[in-house]
Amino acid sequence: MRVIIVKDYDRMSKLAAKFIADELRRKPALVLGLATGSTPIGMYQELIRMHKEEGLDFSKVITFNLDEYIGLPKDHPESYHSFMWKHFFQHVNIPESQIHIPDGTLPMEDIPAYCEWYEKRIKEVGGIDIQVLGIGRDGHIGFNEPGSSLGSRTRIKTLARETREDNARFFDGNIDAVPKYAITMGVGTIMEARMLLLLASGPNKAEAVKKTVEGPITAMCPASIMQLHPKAVAIIDQEAAKYLEREYEVDMG
Ligand code: GLP
């Protein structure tokens, strides 16, 4: 895994945006795998700035989001649909027909077939070029919680208590309001992307980063599978990198 340690959140965001912009200029019909959470917001802001000020063109881009809660209406403020429109899609020129976010409003019994369709759709467009990833405190990627099969595909996942506690702050601090299930791309789905771009910032992520980069590959830390990916880049700020013991690229901007 290529690890780049940066000064802070701002530098992480700008460097991540630059990776994507460089690829996008080379390949205008880029297929992007996108993530939610507070971590990638700065990267989205920088991409929006590049679109507005430098004419970075997203008109041919196709996107697939990693995951979505089950049971929230799309217009619920905490749905990942709302998140993506608010923080990215409404500010750039990706046609709506080229945007894919798992549909968490379907009845439970229809979701397995829908997940198969999602996988098929990714293949039809030629696979994901760059998959952006945040990381959960428990080492999850997407909503692949510890114990997820490292070969898993898009499916329903029960959320870990830790994840629901972490996300309760977005639901007025009420853990009971946090959905119990989500649709998520599988670890196997994620690993098929041609490039993985993991972002991590802040001391809360330091332990998960340590396990991901320097720990053994284990389903108990799903992000650790990235060690097997031929083109995985992790951009980590100093605080999130504080437990790393080996030498890495350093980019202090
Ligand atoms: C959620 C998302 C993950 C994300 C994680 C971390 O659980 N499903 O994709 O990586 O949150 O969120 P944050 O970036 O806010 O720390």
Side-chain angles (χ1 to χ4, degrees), residues 155-172:
R155 70 207 183 295
I156 299 173
K157 223 25 222 170
T158 306
L159 301 184
R161 172 117 201 135
E162 201 174 12
T163 300
R164 294 181 64 231
E165 277 166 8
D166 279 353
N167 292 357
R169 65 199 150 109
F170 301 117
F171 293 82
D172 299 326

Side-chain angles (χ1 to χ4, degrees), residues 18 30 40 53 66-67 90 94 102 180-181:
K18 189 176 177 311
L30 199 68
E53 292 175 14
L66 276 172
D67 49 11
Q90 68 168 328
I94 308 175
K180 294 192 173 60
Y181 304 100

Side-chain angles (χ1 to χ4, degrees), residues 36-40 66-67 80 134-136 140 142-143 163 167 169 205:
T36 52
S38 44
T39 309
L66 276 172
D67 49 11
Y80 288 170
I135 185 168
H140 73 220
F143 269 133
T163 300
N167 292 357
R169 65 199 150 109
K205 300 296 173 69

Side-chain angles (χ1 to χ4, degrees), residues 55-105:
L56 188 65
D57 180 20
F58 289 86
S59 63
K60 295 195 171 65
V61 167
I62 299 175
T63 68
F64 289 90
N65 263 79
L66 276 172
D67 49 11
E68 174 61 288
Y69 290 117
I70 293 176
L72 293 186
K74 286 184 187 165
D75 62 358
H76 187 287
E78 294 308 329
S79 79
Y80 288 170
H81 273 79
S82 296
F83 178 99
M84 287 308 300
W85 285 94
K86 176 174 166 201
H87 292 289
F88 191 47
F89 294 144
Q90 68 168 328
H91 309 286
V92 293
N93 62 334
I94 308 175
E96 197 170 342
S97 59
Q98 290 161 214
I99 292 172
H100 305 81
I101 306 174
D103 184 352
T105 66

Side-chain angles (χ1 to χ4, degrees), residues 140-160:
H140 73 220
I141 43 177
F143 269 133
N144 294 286
E145 299 286 20
S148 289
S149 157
L150 297 179
S152 54
R153 314 302 308 187
T154 304
R155 70 207 183 295
I156 299 173
K157 223 25 222 170
T158 306
L159 301 184

Side-chain angles (χ1 to χ4, degrees), residues 2-8 11-12 15 18-19 235-238 248-253:
R2 179 175 173 200
V3 175
I4 307 172
I5 298 176
V6 297
K7 187 166 72 191
D8 55 17
R11 186 68 195 147
M12 176 197 77
L15 199 56
K18 189 176 177 311
F19 264 98
I235 307 179
I236 301 169
D237 77 4
Q238 283 183 102
Y248 300 100
E249 261 174 79
V250 175
D251 178 326
M252 287 299 148

